[in-house]
C-alpha cells in the first residue's frame, strides 16, 4: 500500500520515532501524543482493520504490544497505561492500517478509562446480547 502512512513508516520511507522493531512489527511514538510516551504498535503487513487481520498475526501483534507497554511504562515512570485499538470509523479510527495505541497514564493526567469512549443510554437486555454473540460462534 504505497499511499498508506504506516506502510511508509514500516518500510522506512517516512521518518518515525521508532522505539522497537521485531520481525513483522514496529513500535513508534505517536506524533500527536495524548500523554508523554504515547506509542503505536503496527504490523509491517498492511491490514486496514483488526477484524481483517488473521487472528494468529493479531495475537503476535498484541504480544509485542504487551511487552512494549511494560517497557514504555518503566521508561516513562508512568503509573499505568491504556492499551487499545480504534477499530473502524465509528470507533474513531483515522489511519486505516492496524495499530495498537499504548497510552501511558499519570496521576491527574486529565484522562478517563476505556469506559469513557462511549455511553449507553437506557436499559438493554444483557442476556439477549450475550445470546446473540454466542450464536456467532456456533450458529444453529
Ligand atoms: P487512530 O484514530 O487510531 O487511527 O489514530 C491514528 C494515530 O496516528 C493518531 O493518534 C495520530 O496522532 C497518529 N499519527 C498520524 N500520523 C502519524 C505519524 N506520521 N507518525 C506517528 N503517528 C502518527
Ligand atoms: Zn498500510
Amino acid at each position: 500500500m504505497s499511499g498508506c502512512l504506516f506502510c511508509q513508516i514500516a518500510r522506512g520511507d517516512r521518518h518515525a520515532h521508532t522505539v522497537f522493531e521485531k520481525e513483522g512489527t514496529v513500535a513508534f511514538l505517536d506524533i500527536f501524543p495524548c500523554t508523554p510516551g504515547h506509542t503505536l504498535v503496527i504490523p509491517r503487513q498492511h491490514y486496514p482493520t483488526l477484524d481483517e487481520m488473521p487472528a494468529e498475526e493479531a495475537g503476535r501483534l498484541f504480544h509485542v504490544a504487551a511487552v512494549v507497554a511494560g517497557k514504555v511504562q518503566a521508561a516513562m515512570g508512568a503509573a499505568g497505561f491504556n492499551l487499545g485499538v480504534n477499530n473502524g470509523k465509528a470507533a474513531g479510527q483515522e489511519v486505516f492500517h492496524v495499530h495498537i495505541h499504548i497510552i501511558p497514564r499519570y496521576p491527574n493526567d486529565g484522562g478517563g478509562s476505556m469506559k469513557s469512549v462511549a455511553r449507553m443510554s437506557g436499559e438493554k437486555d444483557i442476556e439477549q446480547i450475550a445470546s446473540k454473540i454466542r450464536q456467532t460462534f456456533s450458529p444453529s
Side-chain angles (χ1 to χ4, degrees), residues 13-38:
D13 292 348
R14 178 183 286 267
H15 177 263
H17 298 276
T18 302
V19 295
F20 184 71
E21 291 186 76
K22 186 187 177 186
E23 293 156 19
T25 311
V26 185
F28 54 92
L29 296 185
D30 194 296
I31 206 167
F32 300 116
C34 293
T35 63
H38 184 168

Side-chain angles (χ1 to χ4, degrees), residues 1 4-8 44-47 96-97:
M1 286 289 287
C4 171
L5 199 64
F6 287 178
C7 279
Q8 290 166 5
R44 283 192 186 280
Q45 173 118 18
H46 181 90
Y47 297 103
F96 281 78
H97 177 130

